[in-house]
Amino acid sequence: MVHTIVAKLHTKDDPVAIKKLSEKLVEASKVYLKDEGTISWYVMQDHVDKRSFTIVERYEKEASLKIHVSNPFYKEFGAFVMPLLDKPIEILRHNELE
């Protein structure tokens, strides 16, 4: 069963923070797509609120998340991103219906 995570991020009101987060999300997508068990890793920016970003991560199964969080980039990503945000990341987890 495909396991999907939707993560919502919101940056501080700072053009530099928006640019840095945007660039790091594109980099993260390229890194995480190489992880075993990752089907897709999409990043999007809201068309109105440029401070609002969404990540849609799709994994072959929920257990594939262990590979994702053990990627050395995972800690680096978190340490880089958290100071750019003005509120905690909202994370939704779903199992896709078949």
Side-chain angles (χ1 to χ4, degrees):
M1 178 177 301
V2 174
H3 188 72
T4 300
I5 293 180
V6 178
K8 298 181 179 185
L9 300 85
H10 198 266
T11 67
K12 295 176 180 174
D13 191 9
D14 173 12
V16 174
I18 295 168
K19 184 176 187 317
K20 284 183 176 182
L21 181 59
S22 177
E23 290 171 352
K24 187 57 86 171
L25 288 172
V26 170
E27 178 186 2
S29 180
K30 292 174 184 175
V31 169
Y32 292 136
L33 276 173
K34 296 175 186 172
D35 284 348
E36 182 181 339
T38 301
I39 298 170
S40 58
W41 216 90
Y42 297 109
V43 295
M44 294 159 269
Q45 184 177 29
D46 190 273
H47 73 287
V48 175
D49 180 1
K50 299 303 181 190
R51 296 168 53 199
S52 181
F53 295 83
T54 301
I55 306 167
V56 178
E57 309 170 26
R58 296 179 69 238
Y59 301 96
E60 291 175 359
K61 55 189 173 207
E62 188 173 0
S64 300
L65 286 174
K66 290 180 184 177
I67 296 168
H68 173 65
V69 299
S70 66
N71 185 319
F73 186 76
Y74 186 83
K75 279 188 177 181
E76 174 193 329
F77 178 79
F80 182 90
V81 166
M82 296 312 282
L84 302 174
L85 305 179
D86 66 353
K87 56 186 168 184
I89 299 172
E90 179 184 354
I91 298 176
L92 307 170
R93 293 175 64 163
H94 304 280
N95 292 316
E96 292 185 16
L97 300 176
E98 296 179 7

